[in-house]
Amino acid sequence: MDFSKKGIENKQHHIKSTSRRLISKTRITLFRLCIVVLVACIIIGTFAGLGFVRGLIDISPDIAQIDVVPQGYTTTVYDRDSNEVEYLVGAHANREYVYLKTLPTYIKYCFISIEDERFYEHDGIDVRGIFRAAVIGLTTGDFSEGASTITQQLLKNQVFDGGREATFSERLERKIQEQYLAVQLENKLDKDTILEYYMNTINLGSGTYGVQTASKKYFNKDAKELTLSEAAVIAAVAQLPVYNNPITYPDRNETRRNEILKEMLEQEHCSQEEYDEAIADDVYTRIQSVNSKEDTTSYYSYFVDELIEQVMSDLQTKLGYTETQASNLIYSGGLDIYTTQDSTVQAICDDAYTDESNFPAMGVSYWELTYALSVQKSDGTTIHYHTNDVLDYYKDYDDPEHLYVDDNGSSFSALFLDKEDMQEKVDAFRDAIVEEDDTILGEKATMTLQPQSSFVVMDQATGEVVALIGGRGEKEGNRTLNRATNTYRQPGSTFKILSTYLPAFDTVGFTLASVQDDSGPYYYPETDTEVNNWTTTNKYKGLVTLRQGIYDSMNIVTVKTFVKVTPQLGYDYLTKLGITTMVESRKESDGRTVSDINYPMALGGLTDGVRNIELTGAYAAIANSGVYTKPIFYTKIVDHNGKVLLENKPQREQVMKESTAFLLTSAMEDVVTKGTGTAIKFNKIDMPVAGKTGSTSNYYDLWFSGYTPYYTATIWSGFDNNRKQSDTLYPKKLWKIIMEQIHIEKNLETKDFSIPDSIVTAKICTKSGKLAVDGLCDEYLGGNSVKVEYFAKGTEPKEKCDVHVQASVCTVSGDLATDSCPIHKVKVGVFLNKDETGKTADTPFVLPKSYCSIHKGNGLNNTSPTPNTGLNPNTNTNPNTNPNSNSNTNTDTNTTPNTNGNSDENTDPNVNPEEDADINFNITDYLLP
C-alpha cells in the first residue's frame, strides 16, 4: 500500500475520475432497481397468492350447504323378538352412530392426544402445527408431517371425498379450502359435536367406520365398554387403516398405540397407574381370539335374501323410491328392520338341513356342475363356454370308478360324486382350450348338491313367515337362487286341494260325502289324453267319496270333480289364494298360445309351476279358517332417525267359507293318518296334522304342504334340472322332523282343529253319499259303508241310500236266484246297484243283471232292486261328533260258512257243481245265510 503524497494524490484522482463515478452510479442504480423489482415481485406475488387463495375460497363449498353429519350407516335386521340377526352393509356404510356423551372420556382423548392435541384451543386451524410441519419439511425434505386438525379431517372425509388427490397442486387447493372451511365450521358447530361426527366418520380398518362398529369388530363389545388399552388400539388405526390394522398388523398397531398412551400420560389424560395397566394389557391376543371365531365368508341367509327383495319392492311401490334409491337406503341408510323370523324355528330348520342323514346318501345324492368361461382371443373376438362344452369335451371319457352319473350312454356327466376329480376335469378343459395369447375374461365353476330342497314355515294366523330354507348345502353368495321364493316347480297333487276340492265344496255344492266312480280308462274332456290312474294300489276303486279321493290322492276322482267345477272357477280361486304364477293366456315364441285355464290344472299340470312361498300361503289360508293373508317377512322399518318408514300390516281376505276350510282340513287329516302322507304323522307328541302330498312324473318334484293348529309349512325336493328320484320318502320325513321339533321346543300345547258352528254331521253311506240305511249299507258285501261325516250346515243329505240292495244269489251261477235254485245254494247279500263299465274294486259286489240260467225258474221276491228301506237313519247335527272316529266294525266280518258248491244233491248232469260264475271271488265268502 503506497501512503506517499504522490500515491495518495493518485488514489484520489482515481476515485474522482469520471469512469469511476460512472461505475459506482451504475451499481447503485442496479441495486435500487433490484430492490424495486424484489418489492414489486413480493407485492405482485402476494396479491397473486391472495388472488389465488381468494379464488379458491370463492369456489369453496358454501358452509351453509355442506353437511358433515356422518352418512352411510349399517342397517340392522331383527328377528320377531327384537334380537339382532344380521347387518346389511354397503360401501363405506359399516357404521353405527354413537353419542360422545355415552362414551368414557378417555376414548375421545385417545384421538385428540395423537391427532390434534390443541383441539379444544384452536379455531379450526392449528397454526403452531402448520409451522412445525413446514420446518420439518424444509429441513428434512419430508413433507408428510401432518398438520390437519380434527376439524379439517372431518371436512376432508365428508366434503372432499377423503382427500384422494392425484397431484400436489390438487392437494394444495384442497388444503386451502379445507382450512378456510374449518374456521367457518368451528363458528357453526361446537367442539364436541365436531368431535362426535369425526369419531363416527373415520375409517378404522377391516371395513369399519366409526368407533362403535370398530369396537364390535375388534372386541365384540359396545364402544362405551372399551378399556383405555382397547380405545388406544382403535385410535391407532385412524392414521393408516390398512397398515395399523390390529388383526393383520398387530406390531405396527402396538407401536402407534404405545405412542398414544404416552401422549395420554404426558397430557394428563390418564394417570400413571392407568397407563401402566394399559401398557401391560395383552390386548392383541384378545383381538385374535375374537376375530378367529368369525366366519369371514358368511353370506346372508335365504330369509334375509328374500327380506331384501320384499323391502326393495315395498320402498318402490309404497314410497316411490327408484331402485337405486331403495338399494342405497337398505345398505347405507342405517335402517332398523323388524322381521317376522323366529330364530328358534329358523335354527331348527337350519339344523335339519345341515344334517346330511336327512337326505339321500351320496350315490343317490350328487354334486352338479354349472360352468361358465369367457375367453378373449388374440384377434379381439370373445368365446363363451358352458357346461355342455365340458360334457362334449369328455364325451369319450372312461369312468372306471363310477364317479359320474351316466344317463345318455356316455361315462361323463354334470352329476358326480367327487368334487376334486371334477375340479381337475374343469382345469384340464380350460387348459386345453385357452391358448397362449388368449385372455380369460371370467370363469366360474359352481358345484351344487342335488337333489335340492326348500322349506317355508308360516304362522297362519298372522301371515308371518317365521323361517325359510332356500336350498341345501353351503351358500355361495348373497341373493343367490332362492328355491323357496324364486323358482317355479310343478306342484303335483298338492294342487288338487286348491284347484278342485276347495271350489267344489265352497261354491259348486259338493260335500265330503259326494261320490265319484273311480273307473276307467278315463280321458280329459274332448281329448284322447288318458288321466293317469294313480292310486295307492294302482287299481280302480269304484264308487268312492271325495274324502277318500283326497286322502288317497285319486286322479280320476279329482278330474271328474274338476269338470263340474270348471277350469275358470278353479283359476279364479287360485288367484284369490295368492298364486301369481298362473298363466291366463300367453303367446309363446313358437306361435303357440298357452293357458293354465284347462283341465290338467286339476292335477297341478301348469305352464310354469308354482313357488313354494305362494303354495304355503294358500294352504295357510285353509289353516286360518279360510282367511288368506299375504306372506310377509317384516312388520316395520324404522329409519336412522327413529321414524317409522314402513309398517307392514297384513293384507287379509276371506277367500272361502269357514266351513269349507274345516272340511278340507278334516279330509287332509286323513291324508296323514291313513292316506298318502302317513310318514308325516308325529311320533313324539300328540298334535293333529293336516296336509297333502304331491309328486310329478318320475318324481321330479316331491312335495308336502300341511299344517298344525299353529304353523303351516311346505317342503319341496327335487333336482334343479329334472331327474328321476328313487327315494321318495325323505321330504315327508324331513317335514315331520322339523315340524315336530318346532312344536316341542316351542312347548306348544296339544289342541284339535276348531270346528266352526256352521258344521254338522250325518250318518251316510260311502257308496251313495246319501243317508245310510241300517241293515243294508252296514251289511254290504264289500264292507260296512256307513260313516258319520261332516257337512256344512244345509248341505247334509236328505235322501236315503239307493245303491245298496239286498238280493238272493245262486252260488252256483252267481246270478240272481230263482225259485228253482236249490235252497242250500241260495244265499242272501247286499249288493251295489250300479252300471259297471270296467273292472273296479266294486265289480265283485255289483248286483247281477240276470237270473240264474242253470236253475231256470221264476225270480225270487226278495231280488227287487228297490228293497224296503223303511229304517230311519237319523241325521246327526252334533258338530262334536268326529266322523273319523267311526269304526267299521262289520267290514271284514264273514258270517257265512265257506260253501264251495260241491253238493251231491245236484242232479243236473249238465252242471259242474264245482264251477261258479265267471267272477274272481268265492261269493259264498260274502253272502249272508
Side-chain angles (χ1 to χ4, degrees):
M1 182 73 65
D2 185 3
F3 291 103
S4 65
K5 183 178 179 182
K6 183 66 172 176
I8 292 172
E9 289 177 351
N10 291 336
K11 185 70 173 176
Q12 290 176 343
H13 178 75
H14 174 73
I15 293 172
K16 293 178 181 180
S17 67
T18 302
S19 62
R20 176 63 179 172
R21 288 199 304 270
L22 184 61
I23 291 172
S24 296
K25 189 175 182 179
T26 301
R27 287 177 177 174
I28 292 171
T29 302
L30 289 174
F31 176 75
R32 289 174 178 173
L33 183 62
C34 287
I35 294 297
V36 170
V37 171
L38 177 62
V39 171
C41 288
I42 292 174
I43 293 173
I44 293 171
T46 300
F47 277 100
L50 290 174
F52 174 72
V53 171
R54 184 63 187 176
L56 291 177
I57 290 175
D58 287 342
I59 63 173
S60 295
D62 186 349
I63 190 65
Q65 301 297 323
I66 66 174
D67 184 7
V68 293
V69 177
Q71 300 294 324
Y73 296 98
T74 299
T75 288
T76 304
V77 177
Y78 302 89
D79 67 11
R80 67 188 306 167
D81 297 318
S82 298
N83 300 309
E84 296 180 5
V85 294
E86 188 61 87
Y87 303 100
L88 309 182
V89 183
H92 310 296
N94 190 13
R95 177 184 293 108
E96 293 181 53
Y97 198 91
V98 63
Y99 292 98
L100 190 64
K101 63 183 179 182
T102 66
L103 301 178
T105 305
Y106 53 75
I107 295 182
K108 71 176 183 179
Y109 281 115
C110 281
F111 288 94
I112 290 173
S113 64
I114 196 69
E115 296 291 335
D116 188 2
E117 62 180 291
R118 286 176 291 279
F119 173 71
Y120 282 108
E121 301 170 12
H122 61 66
D123 59 356
I125 301 174
D126 185 2
V127 178
R128 289 168 57 186
I130 293 173
F131 277 111
R132 184 193 70 241
V135 170
I136 293 174
L138 292 171
T139 56
T140 65
D142 181 7
F143 288 90
S144 63
E145 180 72 16
S148 293
T149 63
I150 284 177
T151 308
Q152 288 177 252
Q153 292 183 50
L154 176 63
L155 287 164
K156 179 179 72 174
N157 290 329
Q158 296 298 90
V159 179
F160 297 103
D161 195 27
R164 294 190 289 267
E165 296 84 8
T167 65
F168 173 79
S169 61
E170 290 175 344
R171 285 195 296 274
L172 180 61
E173 289 181 18
R174 188 256 301 166
K175 277 288 186 181
I176 293 171
Q177 292 180 331
E178 189 181 277
Q179 290 172 351
Y180 166 72
L181 292 173
V183 175
Q184 290 191 305
L185 186 62
E186 296 240 358
N187 292 327
K188 180 180 179 182
L189 302 176
D190 63 72
K191 289 284 189 179
D192 281 347
T193 300
I194 292 172
L195 183 60
E196 182 175 288
Y197 288 169
Y198 169 78
M199 292 176 65
N200 282 283
T201 300
I202 49 175
N203 181 353
L204 291 173
S206 297
T208 65
Y209 293 84
V211 293
Q212 173 72 355
T213 312
S215 178
K216 289 186 175 181
K217 171 65 179 179
Y218 299 127
F219 302 105
N220 195 27
K221 61 170 68 172
D222 287 330
K224 63 184 179 181
E225 300 171 353
L226 290 172
T227 66
L228 173 59
S229 171
E230 293 167 343
V233 167
I234 291 176
V237 182
Q239 181 190 40
L240 296 169
V242 175
Y243 294 108
N244 285 351
N245 188 308
I247 299 175
T248 53
Y249 295 97
D251 293 339
R252 291 177 61 106
N253 182 277
E254 184 176 16
T255 300
R256 181 74 169 173
R257 164 182 168 269
N258 292 343
E259 291 177 13
I260 293 171
L261 292 173
K262 180 181 177 182
E263 292 290 336
M264 290 279 287
L265 180 62
E266 292 177 353
Q267 296 173 32
E268 298 182 350
H269 297 310
C270 72
S271 66
Q272 183 68 49
E273 182 181 356
E274 291 171 330
Y275 170 82
D276 293 339
E277 181 182 352
I279 286 292
D281 182 23
D282 185 14
V283 67
Y284 296 98
T285 299
R286 197 157 62 250
I287 292 173
Q288 295 299 328
S289 176
V290 168
N291 286 273
S292 66
K293 299 175 183 177
E294 289 193 356
D295 181 4
T296 57
T297 60
S298 63
Y299 299 105
Y300 300 150
S301 68
Y302 286 108
F303 184 98
V304 173
D305 280 353
E306 180 58 24
L307 169 71
I308 293 171
E309 298 293 335
Q310 298 253 334
V311 175
M312 282 278 289
S313 175
D314 288 351
L315 287 173
Q316 294 175 73
T317 58
K318 296 181 180 180
L319 298 183
Y321 282 70
T322 65
E323 183 177 354
T324 300
Q325 290 171 333
S327 179
N328 289 338
L329 186 62
I330 289 172
Y331 290 105
S332 304
L335 305 177
D336 289 323
I337 303 177
Y338 294 88
T339 75
T340 60
Q341 186 179 52
D342 187 316
S343 292
T344 299
V345 176
Q346 186 66 59
I348 293 170
C349 295
D350 291 340
D351 290 344
Y353 266 76
T354 54
D355 184 352
E356 287 302 317
S357 67
N358 291 327
F359 294 91
M362 294 307 288
V364 181
S365 287
Y366 309 95
W367 296 96
E368 184 171 24
L369 174 70
T370 304
Y371 184 72
L373 172 68
S374 295
V375 177
Q376 187 178 62
K377 309 299 286 185
S378 57
D379 61 1
T381 60
T382 300
I383 302 178
H384 302 287
Y385 299 93
H386 301 283
T387 307
N388 287 338
D389 297 299
V390 180
L391 298 179
D392 187 61
Y393 181 80
Y394 287 103
K395 62 183 179 181
D396 297 324
Y397 175 76
D398 187 23
D399 180 27
E401 298 181 39
H402 303 290
L403 299 178
Y404 299 88
V405 184
D406 171 29
D407 278 337
N408 302 309
S410 67
S411 297
F412 183 86
S413 80
L415 290 171
F416 57 95
L417 299 176
D418 190 326
K419 292 179 72 174
E420 291 184 2
D421 186 78
M422 175 57 88
Q423 187 61 57
E424 291 177 2
K425 297 292 189 299
V426 169
D427 293 343
F429 167 78
R430 181 193 60 239
D431 294 343
I433 65 171
V434 177
E435 299 175 347
E436 183 176 352
D437 295 331
D438 291 348
T439 301
I440 296 178
L441 301 178
E443 181 185 27
K444 185 174 183 180
T446 303
M447 301 181 192
T448 307
L449 263 177
Q450 301 290 347
Q452 271 296 324
S453 184
S454 65
F455 200 91
V456 177
V457 187
M458 277 183 63
D459 181 340
Q460 59 250 26
T462 63
E464 296 178 355
V465 179
V466 296
L468 181 143
I469 298 288
R472 171 191 175 203
E474 183 177 351
K475 201 165 183 281
E476 297 185 349
N478 291 325
R479 299 174 72 181
T480 54
L481 177 64
N482 192 331
R483 296 168 184 83
T485 59
N486 295 339
T487 59
Y488 297 175
R489 303 294 303 204
Q490 295 299 317
S493 293
T494 60
F495 230 48
K496 294 175 179 177
I497 299 295
L498 309 177
S499 66
T500 302
Y501 294 109
L502 191 161
F505 297 158
D506 204 57
T507 302
V508 185
F510 283 91
T511 71
L512 286 174
S514 297
V515 171
Q516 295 284 10
D517 192 4
D518 181 42
S519 60
Y522 179 76
Y523 300 88
Y524 287 108
E526 301 176 4
T527 74
D528 57 359
T529 302
E530 184 178 354
V531 176
N532 178 33
N533 175 40
W534 188 93
T535 64
T536 52
T537 60
N538 244 5
K539 296 179 180 178
Y540 298 114
K541 294 190 175 183
L543 296 176
V544 297
T545 62
L546 296 194
R547 174 184 286 274
Q548 184 176 356
I550 290 173
Y551 71 69
D552 271 345
S553 196
M554 302 172 71
N555 288 350
I556 292 175
V557 171
T558 301
V559 176
K560 285 185 174 181
T561 305
F562 190 65
V563 170
K564 299 294 184 182
V565 169
T566 73
Q568 184 62 56
L569 183 60
Y571 175 85
D572 293 341
Y573 267 93
L574 289 164
T575 302
K576 290 193 294 182
L577 287 165
I579 306 296
T580 64
T581 58
M582 302 284 292
V583 176
E584 184 172 13
S585 181
R586 187 173 71 200
K587 194 85 168 181
E588 300 290 80
S589 58
D590 59 3
R592 295 180 302 117
T593 299
V594 296
S595 173
D596 286 331
I597 306 177
N598 220 321
Y599 292 107
M601 182 204 300
L603 307 182
L606 304 178
T607 305
D608 296 330
V610 298
R611 299 188 293 162
N612 186 323
I613 184 68
E614 292 188 347
L615 191 64
T616 307
Y619 270 80
I622 304 173
N624 193 33
S625 301
V627 178
Y628 171 75
T629 307
K630 185 178 180 180
I632 60 174
F633 284 75
Y634 71 92
T635 53
K636 68 176 178 178
I637 300 175
V638 179
D639 69 14
H640 180 63
N641 297 316
K643 178 184 176 182
V644 175
L645 195 63
L646 281 173
E647 197 162 5
N648 202 14
K649 295 181 179 179
Q651 303 174 33
R652 296 189 173 96
E653 181 184 0
Q654 187 82 38
V655 296
M656 72 192 85
K657 299 171 187 172
E658 189 178 11
S659 58
T660 300
F662 174 76
L663 295 176
L664 293 171
T665 297
S666 177
M668 286 192 287
E669 282 188 90
D670 283 354
V671 171
V672 176
T673 57
K674 61 182 177 181
T676 58
T678 53
I680 296 293
K681 189 175 181 181
F682 292 169
N683 294 330
K684 299 177 182 178
I685 58 173
D686 182 20
M687 186 69 67
V689 177
K692 185 69 187 73
T693 56
S695 61
T696 58
S697 300
N698 296 314
Y699 301 108
Y700 289 160
D701 303 276
L702 297 171
W703 295 87
F704 183 79
S705 191
Y707 48 90
T708 69
Y710 297 97
Y711 293 111
T712 301
T714 300
I715 188 171
W716 166 84
S717 290
F719 284 74
D720 286 333
N721 298 308
N722 286 337
R723 180 179 175 81
K724 183 176 182 179
Q725 298 186 81
S726 57
D727 182 350
T728 61
L729 284 179
Y730 74 92
K732 299 175 187 176
K733 294 178 180 178
L734 186 53
W735 193 98
K736 169 187 169 181
I737 288 170
I738 292 174
M739 288 292 279
E740 188 168 37
Q741 192 60 32
I742 289 172
H743 289 73
I744 292 173
E745 291 201 22
K746 299 289 286 185
N747 196 27
L748 300 173
E749 65 175 334
T750 300
K751 65 177 181 181
D752 292 325
F753 293 109
S754 59
I755 303 176
D757 295 336
S758 55
I759 292 294
V760 297
T761 59
K763 188 168 68 172
I764 58 97
C765 169
T766 59
K767 288 296 180 180
S768 66
K770 299 180 180 181
L771 296 174
V773 178
D774 291 339
L776 285 180
C777 302
D778 54 345
E779 298 292 342
Y780 169 52
L781 295 175
N784 186 359
S785 300
V786 177
K787 176 181 176 57
V788 177
E789 184 58 273
Y790 288 119
F791 294 89
K793 189 179 293 184
T795 66
E796 63 272 25
K798 303 296 190 292
E799 299 177 352
K800 298 173 184 177
C801 173
D802 55 4
V803 299
H804 283 120
V805 294
Q806 183 175 312
S808 298
V809 174
C810 174
T811 61
V812 178
S813 65
D815 292 325
L816 295 174
T818 68
D819 54 7
S820 300
C821 294
I823 190 64
H824 64 280
K825 297 295 184 182
V826 175
K827 300 295 180 181
V828 179
V830 177
F831 294 85
L832 287 178
N833 186 19
K834 64 170 286 195
D835 293 326
E836 192 81 330
T837 57
K839 187 176 181 180
T840 72
D842 290 340
T843 302
F845 314 110
V846 173
L847 180 70
K849 301 301 180 185
S850 59
Y851 288 100
C852 179
S853 60
I854 297 175
H855 311 106
K856 297 180 180 180
N858 296 321
L860 300 181
N861 293 331
N862 63 353
T863 60
S864 168
T866 309
N868 181 9
T869 57
L871 301 174
N872 182 21
N874 294 323
T875 299
N876 180 4
T877 60
N878 179 10
N880 296 318
T881 303
N882 184 357
N884 298 331
S885 65
N886 185 53
S887 59
N888 296 335
T889 55
N890 297 328
T891 300
D892 297 320
T893 302
N894 178 11
T895 58
T896 305
N898 188 3
T899 306
N900 62 14
N902 292 335
S903 172
D904 293 335
E905 296 180 17
N906 185 355
T907 57
D908 188 339
N910 297 318
V911 176
N912 182 352
E914 298 185 9
E915 194 173 21
D916 283 343
D918 185 18
I919 52 178
N920 61 355
F921 74 109
N922 190 338
I923 198 169
T924 58
D925 288 341
Y926 299 93
L927 295 178
L928 300 174

